[in-house]
Amino acid sequence: MFKRVKITKDNANNPGLKELYEKAFPEGEVAPYDKFIELLDILGMDYIAYYDGDTLIGMTVAILMKNYNYGANMAVVENLRGKGYGQKILSDALERYKSKPFLMEVESPKQLDEPNLEIRKRRYAFYLRNGIVDTGRYFTLNGVEYNIITTSKEPVAQEDIDAAFDYLKPLSERVPKTKQ
């Protein structure tokens, strides 16, 4: 049975969720888990764990903003990937927050010198297959290039992208800088 559980500071001390967060997102691209949990209330993050019965299958993090919802994170437990859970989780998240379009970022599949290039290509293709479009805009954080993608049927104004990233500064400031 597919179910979702809202994660708060009170129930975030879950070893399975912490492990998923730490394994799914490369060090230097996300805040350490304890710092991330501190920001749940500050940024109004909606942190959801997904289960099939009692088995953790994945998680999402959405930040509810004025003009857009920001899809901050989505991950499926590694040994459960390729079984349709990602599509089910993404569909659920998009349905839950359908009142406003999503803005998200995904590691660029065009940054050819990265060791995780094949994973980047699969992630990017996954989002496009599921109706999400590339805005044609990107940004770089700690040397990693990200494409900005959206569920919006209309072009996304640069001022909306700027507002989203200004709002997210407390989160990005908690991301450790990669070693040069």
Side-chain angles (χ1 to χ4, degrees):
M1 171 189 224
F2 184 74
K3 66 180 177 180
R4 66 175 101 83
V5 174
K6 182 167 177 62
I7 304 300
T8 65
K9 287 181 180 181
D10 297 330
N11 65 353
N13 190 18
N14 175 318
L17 277 174
K18 182 178 181 186
E19 180 181 357
L20 173 59
Y21 178 88
E22 290 174 347
K23 284 186 174 181
F25 307 110
E27 183 180 339
E29 291 185 29
V30 293
Y33 192 72
D34 60 330
K35 301 295 183 192
F36 165 72
I37 297 306
E38 288 176 18
L39 292 171
L40 285 177
D41 294 334
I42 294 169
L43 291 177
M45 290 193 269
D46 199 14
Y47 182 15
I48 305 294
Y50 289 88
Y51 292 85
D52 187 352
D54 292 330
T55 302
L56 175 67
I57 58 171
M59 51 83 69
T60 59
V61 177
I63 301 173
L64 313 179
M65 301 170 63
K66 181 179 176 185
N67 296 328
Y68 290 88
N69 293 315
Y70 186 79
N73 301 104
M74 178 179 152
V76 173
V77 173
E78 188 172 8
N79 66 337
L80 298 176
R81 293 178 189 155
K83 299 179 189 255
Y85 286 123
Q87 187 168 13
K88 197 168 190 174
I89 290 169
L90 179 62
S91 295
D92 182 75
L94 295 178
E95 180 62 27
R96 284 186 58 164
Y97 309 112
K98 68 181 176 183
S99 64
K100 293 182 266 186
F102 258 99
L103 271 180
M104 296 177 265
E105 86 266 346
V106 63
E107 291 173 310
S108 175
K110 297 173 187 163
Q111 199 173 11
L112 301 177
D113 58 341
E114 291 298 316
N116 66 343
L117 183 60
E118 288 309 310
I119 292 170
R120 287 175 176 222
K121 287 178 179 179
R122 284 198 317 263
R123 284 182 190 143
Y124 182 76
F126 167 79
Y127 286 115
L128 296 183
R129 270 195 321 273
N130 284 282
I132 297 170
V133 296
D134 195 323
T135 66
R137 296 192 179 100
Y138 66 94
F139 71 96
T140 302
L141 176 65
N142 290 336
V144 179
E145 185 175 294
Y146 297 88
N147 291 49
I148 300 170
I149 57 178
T150 186
T151 59
S152 178
K153 303 301 179 215
E154 302 296 323
V156 179
Q158 185 63 46
E159 51 269 13
D160 286 327
I161 293 171
D162 293 344
F165 288 107
D166 284 346
Y167 184 83
L168 297 169
K169 276 186 182 173
L171 184 58
S172 65
E173 289 167 355
R174 302 285 178 106
V175 176
K177 303 296 182 228
T178 54
K179 295 177 183 149
Q180 299 296 341

